[in-house]
């Protein structure tokens, strides 16, 4: 659990817990020690109950956030107000075990809930991350009580105890490994070479596997939670290892792509790695499988900018995966194809997807997503604009008709944007004399600060600014901007070529731009656009 900023880092990181890549099918039993048996209580559709108290109230409400549908970005939020004592009671309807988040002010803590969960929740309002504790309601506590009752707990009491154990485990695991940068994949260790990076992964695996097995040995978990925890362990490791080569290329700008040893990717041959029904609740499992598809398709010489990249990904996932795993990963591939603008191909794949989603559990969500993104299809016209430049002129997108246009929406107060400035001049120099224009559009409200930075840094390319409004401006709305930096590649004919190009600081941006010249004519849209945007 963590503040929102650290929570975001956890979501971006591929690190949670590590376990040896020895068993991707059935979970490794937590046996061999007293009290280590994983007990399974009956799973019943119903409610999870969280009641308790916040000591030193700093916010007026508390909430639980749940994502019922792994393909729907919108979370279901169950929120209640605290009373004057800081007390609360949350009743959360559930259709089965699920990962969730506890939200209080700017703090977010991981939860694992299932029907029958009934916990007392307590923490300090000023320090949820350091004080959160869970206790099962209506379960005898204390040594003498335990001795008197022995093992004569009801199934409901056992289940509530298991739920509290699971959530206390998540709290401790988060503090031990997620909040500790020493166990994170960060630039310092991404810059390592193959052998020391694998040594780092082994070090993490040793400590985090011990942590998981030690808790499983001392406490009672439901089988569903143990499966979930083990999947997070397994696929965090697999994903970190799979993505290392790509991450290193992005971080290390002074070297070429690292060539891996002949056995580095051998772990992908494990027969139980791809189809693991016990891992279906794990978002890390989904993330790994999506990255695996990208990796496998790239090995077959398909580039993301190619029109057939996502159809090839869809076809591979259709063959490699089974059951619910296949449906979810096909949906993830479709969502990526929507966002990257391959509308003609996406429309055909979306129609085929209904063959796999017989109950219609995911198709409506994907259809809505498709409709939201189709205006940014590759081959559709990029919205025109008229903006003032730093030199006092005005510029329109139509002024660059006949040229490839790299559009960079940025802000002088954004750290990622400022980091890219150091690479922009070199990139533009590499394309000097080529048929391309680099158009940088600032969303700064402070015109003077923007002009000063442009002048002092002698920023290259076309420098323009949206006069007032920032993300609320008409231009930002036309390009559906939600944050900066955001980039677009517009073809020589004024249509989108790539709605998610590589950043200015990425070494891969050079190859991507070179591959985009003349590409506009190779794309056609299956959507009929009425009028101009």
């Amino acid at each position: 659990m963590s503040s929102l900023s650290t929570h975001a880092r956890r979501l971006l990181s591929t690190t949670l817990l590590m376990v040896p890549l020895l068993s991707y099918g059935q979970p490794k039993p937590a046996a061999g020690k007293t009290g280590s048996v994983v007990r399974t209580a009956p799973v019943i559709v119903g409610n999870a109950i969280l009641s308790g108290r916040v000591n030193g109230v700093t916010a007026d409400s508390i909430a639980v956030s749940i994502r019922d549908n792994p393909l729907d970005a919108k979370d279901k939020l169950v929120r209640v107000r605290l009373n004057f004592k800081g007390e609360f009671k949350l009743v959360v309807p559930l259709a089965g075990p699920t990962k969730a988040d506890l939200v209080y002010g700017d703090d977010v803590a991981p939860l694992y809930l299932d029907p029958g969960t009934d916990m007392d929740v307590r923490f300090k309002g000023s320090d949820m991350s350091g004080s959160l504790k869970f206790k099962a309601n209506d379960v005898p506590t204390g040594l003498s009580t335990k001795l008197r009752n022995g093992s004569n707990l009801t199934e409901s009491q056992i289940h509530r105890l298991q739920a509290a154990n699971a959530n206390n485990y998540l709290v401790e695991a988060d503090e031990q490994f997620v909040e500790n940068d020493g166990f994170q994949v960060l630039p310092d260790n991404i810059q390592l070479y193959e052998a020391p990076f694998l040594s780092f992964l082994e070090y993490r695996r040793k400590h985090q596997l011990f942590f998981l097995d030690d808790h499983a040995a001392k406490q009672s978990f439901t089988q569903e939670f143990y499966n979930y925890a083990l999947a997070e362990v397994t696929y965090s490791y697999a994903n970190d290892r799979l993505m290392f080569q790509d991450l290193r290329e992005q971080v290390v700008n002074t070297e070429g792509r690292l060539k891996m040893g002949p056995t580095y990717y051998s772990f992908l041959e494990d027969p139980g790695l791809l189809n693991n029904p016990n891992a279906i609740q794990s978002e890390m499992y989904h993330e790994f499988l999506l990255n695996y598809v990208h990796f496998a398709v790239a090995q077959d010489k398909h580039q993301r900018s190619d029109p057939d990249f996502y159809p090839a990904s869809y076809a591979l996932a259709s063959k490699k995966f089974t059951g619910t795993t296949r449906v979810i990963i096909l949906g993830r591939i479709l969502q990526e194809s929507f966002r990257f603008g391959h509308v003609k191909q996406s429309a055909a794949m979306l129609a085929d997807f209904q063959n796999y989603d017989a109950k219609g559990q995911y198709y409506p969500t994907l259809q809505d997503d498709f409709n939201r993104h189709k205006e940014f299809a590759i081959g559709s016209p990029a919205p025109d604009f008229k903006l003032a430049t730093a030199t006092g002129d005005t510029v329109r997108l139509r002024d660059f008709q006949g040229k490839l246009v790299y559009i960079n929406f940025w802000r002088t107060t954004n750290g990622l944007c400022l980091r890219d400035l150091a690479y922009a001049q070199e990139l533009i120099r590499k394309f000097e004399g080529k048929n391309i224009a680099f158009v940088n559009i600032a969303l700064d409200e402070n015109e003077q600060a923007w002009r000063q930075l442009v002048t002092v840094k002698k920023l290259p390319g076309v420098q323009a600014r949206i006069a007032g409004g920032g993300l609320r401006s008409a231009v930002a709305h036309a390009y559906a901007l939600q944050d900066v930096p955001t980039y677009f590649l517009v073809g020589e004919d004024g249509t989108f070529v790539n709605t998610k190009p590589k950043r200015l600081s990425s070494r891969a941006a050079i190859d991507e731009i070179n591959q985009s010249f003349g590409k506009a004519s190779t794309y056609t849209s299956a959507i009929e656009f009425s009028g101009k945007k």
Side-chain angles (χ1 to χ4, degrees):
M1 96 238 81
S2 51
S3 66
L4 282 175
S5 59
T6 310
H7 180 64
R9 182 185 67 187
R10 180 177 71 231
L11 295 178
L12 290 172
S13 170
T14 54
T15 304
L16 180 59
L17 302 169
M18 297 297 116
V19 76
L21 295 174
L22 299 175
S23 175
Y24 291 106
Q26 296 300 316
K28 175 185 172 189
K33 299 179 184 178
T34 302
S36 64
V37 177
V38 179
R39 303 185 64 176
T40 304
V43 177
I44 303 172
V45 175
N47 298 324
I49 299 174
L50 285 75
S51 57
R53 181 174 181 175
V54 179
N55 296 314
V57 173
T58 58
D60 63 359
S61 63
I62 189 168
V64 168
S65 174
I66 296 175
R67 184 172 298 175
D68 289 331
N69 184 339
L71 301 182
D72 191 346
K74 298 188 294 292
D75 291 349
K76 179 176 71 178
L77 199 66
V78 180
R79 182 185 297 274
V80 295
R81 286 188 171 275
L82 305 176
N83 69 14
F84 71 98
K85 294 181 179 180
E87 297 170 335
F88 63 89
K89 183 176 181 178
L90 277 162
V91 180
V92 185
L94 297 171
T98 183
K99 170 71 170 60
D101 287 303
L102 185 66
V103 182
Y104 177 75
D106 289 337
D107 279 350
V108 178
L111 290 173
Y112 186 88
L113 304 177
D114 59 13
T117 295
D118 191 347
M119 300 184 297
D120 178 82
V121 184
R122 298 187 181 251
F123 60 88
K124 295 179 182 178
S126 60
D127 182 24
M128 184 169 79
S129 61
S131 60
L132 186 60
K133 298 292 182 184
F134 298 93
K135 185 179 72 172
N137 284 322
D138 191 29
V139 174
T141 59
L143 180 59
S144 61
T145 304
K146 290 180 180 178
L147 291 173
R148 184 168 60 253
N149 282 273
S151 59
N152 296 323
L153 297 178
T154 67
E155 287 296 318
S156 295
Q157 288 175 322
I158 292 171
H159 189 76
R160 290 195 289 270
L161 183 62
Q162 290 171 328
N165 289 343
N167 284 283
N168 282 319
Y169 167 84
L170 290 178
V171 169
E172 295 174 34
D174 200 80
E175 180 181 6
Q176 182 76 15
F177 302 116
V178 179
E179 299 294 337
N180 186 346
D181 286 349
F183 289 100
Q184 295 291 315
V185 172
L186 297 172
D188 283 351
N189 46 50
I190 292 174
Q191 296 181 59
L192 298 172
Y193 291 96
E194 178 181 335
F197 182 76
L198 284 178
S199 178
F200 163 71
L201 289 184
E202 294 297 332
Y203 171 81
R204 284 195 320 186
R205 180 169 65 180
K206 174 183 175 181
H207 287 274
Q208 295 174 339
L209 176 61
F210 174 81
F211 185 86
L212 174 61
D213 283 348
D214 184 56
H215 278 68
K218 293 177 180 177
Q219 300 175 337
S220 173
F221 295 142
T222 65
Q223 189 69 56
E224 291 77 16
F225 175 75
Y226 188 80
N227 289 347
Y228 164 78
L230 185 61
E232 290 286 290
V233 167
T234 300
Y235 292 100
S236 294
Y237 178 93
N239 203 48
D240 278 342
R241 185 163 176 172
L242 176 64
M243 296 305 295
F244 170 60
Q245 191 179 22
D246 286 343
L247 286 173
R248 193 179 189 281
E249 184 178 25
Q250 295 176 32
V251 171
V252 182
N253 292 283
T254 57
E255 300 178 16
R257 185 174 176 84
L258 186 64
K259 185 176 180 180
M260 312 308 292
T263 62
Y264 182 82
Y265 291 108
S266 60
F267 72 101
L268 296 174
E269 299 170 5
D270 189 298
L273 181 62
L274 301 184
N275 288 290
N276 183 355
N278 289 320
I280 199 65
Q281 292 183 34
S282 171
E283 291 181 1
M284 187 56 66
Y285 175 52
H286 305 160
E287 193 68 21
F288 165 75
L289 291 181
L290 188 64
N291 287 327
Y292 167 81
V293 170
H294 294 165
F295 172 83
V297 170
Q299 295 299 300
D300 201 24
K301 308 303 180 185
H302 294 281
Q303 302 295 323
R304 281 182 184 265
S305 57
D306 294 340
D308 66 347
F309 180 83
Y310 288 102
S313 299
Y314 187 92
L316 185 143
S318 299
K319 295 176 182 178
K320 286 282 188 180
F321 308 139
T322 60
T324 303
T325 297
R326 176 166 57 190
V327 177
I328 291 175
I329 301 307
L330 289 178
R332 289 286 300 271
I333 292 169
L334 280 171
Q335 289 181 318
E336 278 204 346
S337 74
F338 303 162
R339 285 162 175 76
F340 278 77
H342 297 266
V343 168
K344 182 175 182 179
Q345 297 86 346
S346 298
M349 290 187 291
L350 182 59
D352 179 75
F353 179 81
Q354 294 182 83
N355 296 321
Y356 298 100
D357 187 25
K359 296 181 180 179
Q361 184 177 358
Y362 303 108
Y363 180 80
T365 298
L366 293 173
Q367 181 69 63
D368 290 344
D369 202 14
F370 175 78
N371 290 336
R372 283 197 303 271
H373 286 86
K374 66 185 181 183
E375 290 189 350
F376 291 90
I378 291 178
S380 66
D384 198 10
F385 48 76
K386 182 180 179 181
L387 299 171
T389 68
T391 59
D393 300 322
T394 58
V395 63
R396 291 177 177 268
L397 179 60
R398 67 178 67 168
D399 296 339
F400 303 102
Q401 193 82 10
K403 288 188 175 184
L404 190 67
V405 184
Y406 186 108
I407 301 177
N408 168 31
F409 288 98
W410 71 297
R411 186 184 287 122
T412 61
T413 55
N414 181 278
L416 287 175
C417 295
L418 294 176
R419 181 179 181 272
D420 272 0
L421 294 181
Y423 302 94
Q425 193 161 0
E426 179 184 356
L427 184 65
I428 292 175
R429 187 167 56 247
K430 287 182 181 295
F431 287 96
E432 189 173 355
K434 296 288 184 69
N435 196 36
I436 184 172
F438 290 87
V439 180
N440 305 277
I441 302 175
L443 277 71
D444 287 78
E445 306 250 353
N446 189 330
E447 180 180 0
Q448 183 177 357
W450 165 69
R451 286 187 178 277
Q452 184 176 0
L453 183 63
V454 170
T455 302
V456 172
K457 296 290 186 180
K458 298 180 180 179
L459 299 184
V462 177
Q463 298 292 335
R465 185 181 74 94
I466 298 175
L471 290 173
R472 300 182 301 276
S473 66
V475 175
H477 179 73
Y479 279 83
L481 300 183
Q482 296 182 341
D483 203 354
V484 291
T486 296
Y487 315 96
F488 294 92
L489 263 174
V490 178
E492 295 86 344
D493 61 354
T495 62
F496 286 117
V497 172
N498 191 336
T499 56
K500 299 284 184 181
K502 296 291 190 299
R503 293 175 55 188
L504 294 164
S505 58
S506 172
R507 291 178 58 87
I510 297 173
D511 291 338
E512 187 175 67
I513 291 172
N514 277 323
Q515 293 165 7
S516 298
F517 286 106
K519 265 290 180 66
S521 61
T522 67
Y523 293 104
T524 56
S525 174
I527 304 301
E528 292 294 331
F529 296 93
S530 57
K532 293 184 177 180
K533 290 184 275 186

